[in-house]
Amino acid sequence: MRVEIWSDIACPWCYVGKARFEKALDAFPHRDEVEVVHRSFELDPGRAKGDIQPVITMLTKKYGMSEAQAQAGEENLGTQAAAEGLAYRTRDRDHGNTFDMHRLLHLAKERGPQDELIGLFYQANFAEERTVFGDDERLVELAVAAGLDADAARAVLADPTAYADDVRADEREAAELGANGVPFFVLDRTYGVSGAQPAEVFAQALAQAWGERPQLKLIQDEGVDAEACGPDGCAVPQH
């Protein structure tokens, strides 16, 4: 079974939602048969790479709230994150463009450590003091920590077209699926779960999607076993 997760590194509920989903997945009896793929979704796609500002400033301008309201929201998110065992800096975080991180996540998908890299991106953005925005070498360090080659990561960052089409394709597909916010979870292209739902909801979705997978129906002559090869060897033709 495949679970696709549309998310953005700048999205705090994606950070929390990933932890809740993983709690459900870890307890799922068929966990080893579930493939998880992370898909791209930018919350602020029009923001220039060099346009970096404090999260509180961004919130007040984008949503028209006061600084006190914005800070209260961050404190609430910190509480929600802590409940999932996640560190969360409620003050002095930055906000910026995430396009390069999504491009690196597609490199990681191609080479293997995608889940490791997105986890490190979340940790760096929400829990660590050093910003992930506007600092290519910081992104390279995180890519290497996830298991990617430093030169390969630098090559992607140096070429703005590298994996750009893959990011845009993910975003178009999200729109086609009706996702206008993240996190958005799609199970076997049959069920969708929107938002950072409780682990119990994810557990229910996993069980339901697994139980409704199409079963293979064999077509063959009744009572006839055709020749085939197996672990013990191949059938020997009888004349």
Side-chain angles (χ1 to χ4, degrees):
M1 184 168 73
R2 170 180 280 202
V3 178
E4 297 162 278
I5 307 173
W6 272 265
S7 60
D8 191 13
I9 298 91
C11 165
W13 289 116
C14 296
Y15 179 46
V16 172
K18 182 176 186 291
R20 292 175 178 173
F21 169 75
E22 288 175 347
K23 184 181 294 183
L25 184 61
D26 287 344
F28 186 55
H30 307 286
R31 193 267 171 270
D32 292 341
E33 297 173 74
V34 178
E35 176 192 12
V36 178
V37 178
H38 296 280
R39 301 290 191 192
S40 299
F41 190 107
E42 294 172 276
L43 291 173
D44 204 353
R47 181 178 290 270
K49 181 174 179 176
D51 184 4
I52 303 165
Q53 63 183 165
V55 166
I56 296 299
T57 302
M58 179 275 293
L59 291 172
T60 58
K61 290 183 177 180
K62 187 172 183 177
Y63 300 107
M65 59 178 63
S66 68
E67 287 193 8
Q69 289 172 321
Q71 188 58 54
E74 283 295 285
E75 298 294 341
N76 176 57
L77 280 163
T79 300
Q80 298 280 345
E84 304 303 330
L86 301 172
Y88 190 97
R89 295 178 67 237
T90 59
R91 296 179 183 273
D92 302 321
R93 284 195 306 108
D94 287 336
H95 177 77
N97 181 284
T98 59
F99 188 58
D100 283 347
M101 284 182 272
H102 284 294
R103 296 194 300 118
L104 285 173
L105 285 168
H106 276 280
L107 170 68
K109 176 177 179 290
E110 188 177 88
R111 303 198 177 186
Q114 190 192 40
D115 191 66
E116 291 83 354
L117 183 57
I118 197 169
L120 288 171
F121 281 162
Y122 281 139
Q123 173 75 18
N125 183 40
F126 291 108
E128 297 176 8
E129 185 173 349
R130 185 177 170 187
T131 185
V132 294
F133 301 108
D135 185 352
D136 284 359
E137 279 307 302
R138 174 62 167 148
L139 299 186
V140 171
E141 289 174 11
L142 294 168
V144 170
L148 290 173
D149 177 74
D151 289 339
R154 287 193 184 97
V156 169
L157 293 172
D159 177 5
T161 67
Y163 298 100
D165 289 345
D166 299 274
V167 175
R168 299 305 182 213
D170 277 358
E171 293 173 340
R172 286 194 301 271
E173 195 164 13
E176 291 166 2
L177 289 170
N180 53 17
V182 284
F184 188 69
F185 302 77
V186 176
L187 292 75
D188 259 359
R189 290 299 170 108
T190 303
Y191 291 98
V193 179
S194 180
Q197 299 286 347
E200 294 77 14
V201 173
F202 288 120
Q204 179 183 353
L206 286 166
Q208 189 164 345
W210 181 268
E212 295 185 15
R213 290 174 306 138
Q215 300 299 310
L216 185 67
K217 296 180 180 179
L218 293 175
I219 298 176
Q220 62 185 39
D221 288 341
E222 187 175 350
V224 176
D225 292 326
E227 294 81 1
C229 294
D232 298 325
C234 296
V236 178
Q238 303 294 317
H239 296 289

